[in-house]
Amino acid sequence: MLLTVARIGRAHGLRGEVALDVRTDAPDERFVVGARFVTEPASAGPLEVVRVRTAQGRWYVTFAQAADRTAVEALRGVDLLVDTDEDEDDEDGWYQHELVGLRVEHVADGRVLGEVVGLEHLPAHDLLVVREPDGARTLVPFVEAIVPVVDVPGGRVVLDPPGGLLAADAEHLVVSDETRGDAVEG
């Protein structure tokens, strides 16, 4: 199976260098001179890395097939793919195809909160895209404090969401008379 490890971003300079939107936990292993990538769309590749550098946390590469700014500008938005058969298993890392379709359960009582329908990549951390039973799509920070259990073989993820994160939480709030202000002494 082919998985995205980066998306090609803006051209950088005039000599064919391009910024990458990295989607892998091991960019220093993926983006090396001589690495070849299948692309999506397929017509843009394959692409071979001839130069790599990092600056201020960003990855920049030059491809043999795109030697100038005009050529790399045409590659903007192209995904770089690798074959997962070459990857080793990572017990604390999951691919989007492994997460999509998993049942989402609440840590406290096991009630079903929805289904994972996607994964968004952000610089700070990834976000699970959860479709709740009412159809609402909620972005859940994919961090251990909020997603303590990912059980791919069991077909589920368990959430410990902060109050108000999910629409389903509003249905389970119990409001006492004292918190509503109904009890007035006087």
Side-chain angles (χ1 to χ4, degrees):
M1 171 175 270
L2 296 174
L3 294 174
T4 302
V5 293
R7 177 166 286 160
I8 298 175
R10 287 192 263 167
H12 187 79
L14 301 174
R15 298 187 196 145
E17 188 174 61
V18 65
L20 296 179
D21 178 12
V22 175
R23 308 276 173 92
T24 178
D25 290 339
D28 53 335
E29 296 172 18
R30 295 277 186 209
F31 308 117
V32 295
V33 172
R36 292 180 58 87
F37 295 97
V38 177
T39 60
E40 177 60 41
S43 59
L47 297 173
E48 182 179 349
V49 176
V50 294
R51 184 170 178 254
V52 180
R53 74 178 180 92
T54 60
Q56 298 177 340
R58 297 273 313 181
W59 285 82
Y60 299 91
V61 299
T62 304
F63 297 110
Q65 297 78 8
D68 61 27
R69 185 178 183 91
T70 303
V72 294
E73 283 176 346
L75 295 175
R76 187 171 187 177
V78 169
D79 288 337
L80 300 178
L81 311 172
V82 296
D83 190 345
T84 59
D85 294 339
E86 299 171 1
D87 288 347
E88 66 282 345
D89 288 332
D90 179 2
E91 60 187 62
D92 286 333
W94 299 273
Y95 293 111
Q96 180 168 327
H97 75 274
E98 295 175 299
L99 299 170
V100 170
L102 295 182
R103 180 179 66 254
V104 179
E105 299 176 357
H106 197 285
V107 70
D109 56 14
R111 76 179 180 274
V112 175
L113 300 173
E115 175 183 354
V116 176
V117 295
L119 183 66
E120 296 286 328
H121 302 282
L122 296 179
H125 52 76
D126 293 338
L127 298 170
L128 286 178
V129 182
V130 174
R131 183 177 53 229
E132 296 187 56
D134 67 356
R137 292 171 59 97
T138 302
L139 298 177
V140 176
F142 197 12
V143 296
E144 190 173 356
I146 297 174
V147 187
V149 176
V150 177
D151 179 10
V152 174
R156 70 189 184 116
V157 296
V158 177
L159 297 187
D160 187 6
L165 179 64
L166 301 171
D169 287 341
E171 298 169 13
H172 294 279
L173 289 177
V174 176
V175 180
S176 71
D177 288 341
E178 293 157 3
T179 58
R180 283 194 307 233
D182 291 347
V184 178
E185 293 187 32

